[in-house]
């Protein structure tokens, strides 16, 4: 009997230990999220646009001379720092060698004068001549070193050779364009807007574009800037940056149609699905999801109106574009790391819970 009691006691100890171990294992919860949307009357503006390279520059030598090597052709992909073309370096090498000899001579004399001056062996005038002479020849030496280095034309960024204006063997002057290189970064889109829309540019939001080549793809855009002076057609040029990996489908020269949502009432109201709202400390709140560390944080809100379409109008506590949890709000806690189900595109998700 005693042996049986001891055996049962051992089994209970093991069971308790296993239970405690399992209780400490936290399962990462899965939730659904949705973006906080602006609430209010909006209108959509459409403008024709054109895709442009993020950078499109004409490269030139800073010195003159005959081109002895052309390392690239039109369409060649180049990396930043890659040598694209070379000018005959013969005269610049001779020039540098002569300057180096002159530099060594003047430096030796200057060092001797400075050493004597420290021992009161020469006058202040002789000392100043030695120091200034050394500074002058040092600047000349650096200029000739730079000139020799400038016989090689290098790419300023990763991209593609668009045009070549001179061929090997031709002599070019300093500053004359040798070739055009476009950046391989995500492109930009350029549109022209009238003054009536220019004055309302601070109300632009939700900018995107489509192109006939990819009719089923919507490319999100971000405003870079707008010129402050109208062109001859009284239009202001707006530059927009393409966001997301899909932007690599767009190539410079493609025609696009840009759509811009315009806030008509200027309010700061936003809306979220009613399923996102819960009560914490007697305050209506939501879980705001952080893309950076995949965690959630509670945020108290002020509700202005509950709509019949399953959304809640919020006047304080949230900004348009933030991400909130819309399903699983009662099963998570402050600072918890969560996993996401596919994002909800329709704001009416009240039936998810």
């Amino acid at each position: 009997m005693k042996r049986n009691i001891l055996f049962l006691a051992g089994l209970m100890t093991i069971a308790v230990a296993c239970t405690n171990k399992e209780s400490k294992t936290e399962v990462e919860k899965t939730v659904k999220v949705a973006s906080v949307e602006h609430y209010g009357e909006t209108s959509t503006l459409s403008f024709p646009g054109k895709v442009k390279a993020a950078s499109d520059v004409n490269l030139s030598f800073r010195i003159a001379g005959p081109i002895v090597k052309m390392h690239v052709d039109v369409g060649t992909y180049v990396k930043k720092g890659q040598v694209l073309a070379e000018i005959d370096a013969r005269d610049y090498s001779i020039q540098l060698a002569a300057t180096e000899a002159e530099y060594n001579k003047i430096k030796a004399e200057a060092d001797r004068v400075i050493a004597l001056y420290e021992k009161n062996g020469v006058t202040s005038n002789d000392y100043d001549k030695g120091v200034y002479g050394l500074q002058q020849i040092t600047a000349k030496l650096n200029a000739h070193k730079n000139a020799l280095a400038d016989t090689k034309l290098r790419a300023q960024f990763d991209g593609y050779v668009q045009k070549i204006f001179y061929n090997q063997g031709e002599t070019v002057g300093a500053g004359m364009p040798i070739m055009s290189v476009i950046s391989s970064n995500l492109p930009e889109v350029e549109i022209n807007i009238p003054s009536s829309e220019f004055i309302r540019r601070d109300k632009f939001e939700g900018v995107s574009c489509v192109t006939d080549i990819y009719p089923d793809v919507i490319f999100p855009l971000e405003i870079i800037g707008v010129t402050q002076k109208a062109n001859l057609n009284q239009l202001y040029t707006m530059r927009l940056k393409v966001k997301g990996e899909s932007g690599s489908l767009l190539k410079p020269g493609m025609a696009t149609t840009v759509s811009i949502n315009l806030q008509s009432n200027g309010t700061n109201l936003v809306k979220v699905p009613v399923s996102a709202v819960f009560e914490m400390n007697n305050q209506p709140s939501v879980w705001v999801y952080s893309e950076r560390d995949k965690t959630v944080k509670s945020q108290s809100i002020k509700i202005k109106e509950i709509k019949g379409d399953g959304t809640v109008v919020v006047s304080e506590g949230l900004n348009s574009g933030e991400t909130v949890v819309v399903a699983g709000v009662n099963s998570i806690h402050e600072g918890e790391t969560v996993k996401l189900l596919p994002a909800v595109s329709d704001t009416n998700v009240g039936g998810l819970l």
Side-chain angles (χ1 to χ4, degrees):
M1 178 66 72
K2 183 176 182 180
R3 182 178 299 175
N4 291 338
I5 293 174
L6 291 174
F7 178 72
L8 290 173
L11 288 177
M12 292 177 64
T13 302
I14 294 173
V16 171
C18 292
T19 301
N20 290 337
K21 184 177 181 179
E22 290 177 358
S23 64
K24 293 179 180 179
T25 302
E26 293 189 2
V27 178
E28 197 173 66
K29 300 180 180 67
T30 301
V31 299
K32 276 194 174 183
V33 297
S35 294
V36 178
E37 299 179 4
H38 172 77
Y39 176 77
E41 296 180 0
T42 59
S43 57
T44 301
L45 308 173
S46 295
F47 301 96
K50 178 167 285 190
V51 180
K52 304 190 70 175
S55 298
D56 186 350
V57 298
N58 291 332
L59 301 182
S60 59
F61 288 103
R62 301 177 68 177
I63 55 175
I67 301 175
V68 294
K69 289 184 180 179
M70 187 68 74
H71 296 283
V72 295
D73 295 313
V74 173
T76 300
Y77 176 74
V78 298
K79 301 284 290 183
K80 181 178 180 180
Q82 179 179 335
V83 177
L84 308 179
E86 295 183 46
I87 277 182
D88 189 353
R90 181 192 60 186
D91 294 340
Y92 296 101
S93 296
I94 295 172
Q95 179 179 259
L96 177 59
T99 304
E100 284 179 336
E102 185 181 2
Y103 169 83
N104 292 332
K105 177 183 176 181
I106 294 177
K107 186 176 187 305
E109 293 177 355
D111 290 343
R112 182 178 59 82
V113 171
I114 293 172
L116 290 173
Y117 178 77
E118 292 175 351
K119 298 178 181 179
N120 297 320
V122 295
T123 64
S124 298
N125 187 46
D126 291 334
Y127 172 80
D128 290 341
K129 287 182 179 179
V131 171
Y132 295 147
L134 181 59
Q135 291 177 347
Q136 185 178 26
I137 192 61
T138 300
K140 184 179 179 181
L141 177 65
N142 291 333
H144 289 169
K145 284 182 178 178
N146 291 337
L148 182 60
D150 289 338
T151 59
K152 295 182 178 181
L153 182 65
R154 298 180 182 273
Q156 299 179 1
F157 45 76
D158 296 351
Y160 295 89
V161 178
Q162 183 74 3
K163 294 180 181 179
I164 293 180
F165 305 112
Y166 288 88
N167 297 317
Q168 184 171 313
E170 294 185 282
T171 299
V172 296
M176 296 177 64
I178 304 301
M179 63 183 66
S180 171
V181 178
I182 60 174
S183 171
S184 60
N185 293 334
L186 288 178
E188 298 176 359
V189 175
E190 190 174 277
I191 62 174
N192 293 310
I193 61 175
S195 56
S196 58
E197 307 305 340
F198 172 80
I199 61 175
R200 299 192 294 175
R201 63 192 183 281
D202 58 328
K203 297 181 180 180
F204 289 176
E205 62 175 20
V207 188
S208 62
C209 74
V210 295
T211 179
D212 293 340
I213 301 177
Y214 306 107
D216 299 327
V217 181
I218 298 177
F219 300 94
L221 303 175
E222 179 181 336
I223 297 175
I224 298 176
V226 188
T227 57
Q228 299 299 303
K229 181 180 178 180
N231 57 25
L232 295 178
N233 296 320
Q234 295 301 304
L235 299 173
Y236 295 82
T237 301
M238 174 179 286
R239 293 172 53 228
L240 306 119
K241 179 173 65 176
V242 181
K243 301 190 300 180
E245 296 181 358
S246 62
S248 60
L249 297 174
L250 296 175
K251 301 300 179 184
M254 289 184 178
T256 67
T257 300
V258 177
S259 298
I260 302 176
N261 292 331
L262 178 67
Q263 300 179 19
S264 299
N265 57 6
T267 66
N268 294 321
L269 299 178
V270 296
K271 63 178 180 178
V272 297
V274 67
S275 59
V277 182
F278 64 94
E279 188 172 295
M280 176 178 284
N281 300 326
N282 296 323
Q283 289 287 333
S285 305
V286 296
W287 293 112
V288 177
Y289 174 74
S290 171
E291 179 65 30
R292 181 176 59 85
D293 53 13
K294 316 299 182 186
T295 60
V296 292
K297 180 181 179 181
S298 62
Q299 173 64 51
S300 60
I301 59 174
K302 186 174 181 180
I303 296 176
K304 179 178 178 63
E305 182 182 357
I306 299 177
K307 308 291 291 183
D309 60 357
T311 60
V312 175
V313 180
V314 178
S315 59
E316 294 181 13
L318 288 175
N319 296 315
S320 179
E322 288 186 295
T323 303
V324 296
V325 177
V326 298
V329 296
N330 297 314
S331 62
I332 54 180
H333 56 264
E334 188 75 23
E336 183 175 357
T337 302
V338 296
K339 295 191 299 184
L340 301 186
L341 288 176
V344 178
S345 57
D346 185 358
T347 55
N348 187 8
V349 293
L352 288 172
L353 289 179

